Amino acid sequence: VWQSAVSPDGKLIASGTFGARVEVFDADASSTLVGITLDGSPVTSVSASVSASVSGGSAASGPRVYATTANGGLFAIDGARATHVDAATRIDFAMHANGVCALPSGELAVSHDSGVAWIATDGRVLRSVTTAQPATRIGSLEHGALTDVRVGDDLLLAFDSASGAPRWQVGGFTPRSGYRSNTLGGDVACDSAQPGVVFLPRGSGCDQAWLDTATSREIGALSQSEYAMSAERSPDGTLIALGSVARASEVTLVDAKTLEFVASLPNHRGGVRCVRWSPDGNRLASASIDGTVRVWHVARGVEILIAWRGACAHMAWDSEATLWLGCEDGKIRAIQVR
């Protein structure tokens, strides 16, 4: 940054950068980090409840956040008590948990070494399915009606969230020879604005594509974002954010209806393995293997701040617009971004 200036009303800051760019930021953009240690192993997934009510028969005093760890632990965090050392409690779950997704129904979908379980927030298993290989990353589609999960090295499976019945599956997640799958692997699918069409962020060395789930036919690829690792649709349904390994376009925005390229957000210096929209859709968070978590003002196409420097594997915004980071140092961090 060569020079900066504050607007007359004090609400904006403009900066001139070495890259011949002028960027405008909110003057009150700031972050507050709170670190909560779970079981000491890296945090592997984070998910926030979409409502204050939970399925264990009680009501939460604030946002509820759920996380899994490399040691297989499953934890619940009371967002209203994030500054307290006892904010996190371990959920009694017998399996080695690999990922968690909070569903609109109030249930939790949990991937584990033997399959997928849909559980109440107190750990009671409501229904489950067994998979031939460990289930790892997990998410939801169609407003929670489907649960999609990565199984083994090559498969993505989708199940009916209410019954556990299988709906569709697709492969193609094994990287070509010479590509790494450990830190640059793909994630679960992402809804588009076209009914029954999802995006497959398969990761480094794999063909990314749009999938017609009714026919299991791949209907096209996106050339502007090389090797997408993560994808999420905006709250208003109009855009899809992709995190990829493409240089200078590690974060890409795509029209969710036309499936066409819209813009790139190019400040990262390494592949982006997680992107998450804020509840109002105005901001986007991206976590990269370059060791930064960045927050963007989407309409302006500019970076608001580097919210965290450190290895972060997964993120989630809660209903009060607090960003939760699953960090590889064994802590989950809460960032209040104004």
Side-chain angles (χ1 to χ4, degrees):
V1 175
W2 288 101
Q3 194 172 44
S4 63
V6 180
S7 65
D9 61 6
K11 294 181 178 180
L12 300 173
I13 297 175
S15 66
T17 70
F18 181 77
R21 297 177 62 186
V22 175
E23 298 186 354
V24 181
F25 306 87
D26 290 327
D28 66 349
S30 64
S31 62
T32 303
L33 273 66
V34 175
I36 302 171
T37 300
L38 300 181
D39 61 10
S41 64
V43 181
T44 54
S45 74
V46 184
S47 185
S49 62
V50 296
S51 65
S53 63
V54 295
S55 63
S58 61
S61 58
R64 300 288 290 184
V65 179
Y66 303 93
T68 58
T69 66
N71 282 345
L74 176 62
F75 292 83
I77 300 96
D78 184 350
R81 306 183 68 254
T83 59
H84 295 69
V85 294
D86 60 348
T89 57
R90 186 162 189 149
I91 297 175
D92 186 13
F93 183 67
M95 301 293 186
H96 186 288
N98 295 319
V100 61
C101 177
L103 299 173
S105 64
E107 297 175 0
L108 303 179
V110 182
S111 57
H112 55 83
D113 282 353
S114 300
V116 181
W118 290 266
I119 69 173
T121 54
D122 59 8
R124 289 179 294 112
V125 176
L126 306 174
R127 57 196 169 279
S128 63
V129 296
T130 300
T131 55
Q133 293 180 291
T136 53
R137 305 178 189 188
I138 193 166
S140 66
L141 298 166
E142 299 181 11
H143 305 290
L146 297 182
T147 297
D148 61 329
V149 60
R150 287 284 307 278
V151 173
D153 294 328
D154 192 59
L155 283 179
L156 177 69
L157 306 181
F159 299 93
D160 186 284
S161 296
S163 66
R167 293 286 295 273
W168 52 263
Q169 71 176 51
V170 64
F173 286 80
T174 300
R176 301 184 187 93
S177 176
Y179 288 86
R180 295 180 299 161
S181 61
N182 51 355
T183 59
L184 303 179
D187 205 349
V188 291
C190 169
D191 281 316
S192 74
Q194 296 186 16
V197 175
V198 300
F199 180 74
L200 304 174
R202 285 177 168 141
S204 181
C206 299
D207 294 326
Q208 57 186 343
W210 303 96
L211 178 74
D212 183 339
T213 59
T215 63
S216 295
R217 183 174 62 91
E218 297 181 12
I219 59 176
L222 182 69
S223 60
Q224 292 90 343
S225 179
E226 182 183 12
Y227 299 142
M229 294 184 288
S230 178
E232 185 172 68
R233 187 179 171 188
S234 61
D236 66 3
T238 61
L239 293 172
I240 295 173
L242 307 178
S244 75
V245 302
R247 183 172 298 178
S249 59
E250 288 88 354
V251 180
T252 301
L253 302 180
V254 179
D255 188 292
K257 185 174 183 179
T258 66
L259 314 183
E260 295 179 350
F261 171 82
V262 174
S264 292
L265 305 176
N267 283 8
H268 278 294
R269 298 296 181 267
V272 172
R273 54 183 175 177
C274 189
V275 288
R276 291 294 182 264
W277 293 90
S278 64
D280 60 10
N282 291 329
R283 290 159 292 175
L284 180 71
S286 54
S288 169
I289 62 172
D290 66 9
T292 65
V293 174
R294 301 172 189 261
V295 179
W296 310 82
H297 190 288
V298 177
R300 296 179 192 156
V302 299
E303 179 186 317
I304 298 174
L305 75 153
I306 297 178
W308 171 247
R309 292 187 183 274
C312 173
H314 212 252
M315 305 180 294
W317 295 86
D318 68 23
S319 58
E320 297 183 359
T322 296
L323 180 63
W324 294 82
L325 309 181
C327 301
E328 293 188 3
D329 65 358
K331 293 184 178 180
I332 185 169
R333 288 179 166 86
I335 301 179
Q336 297 173 344
V337 183
R338 296 195 301 270

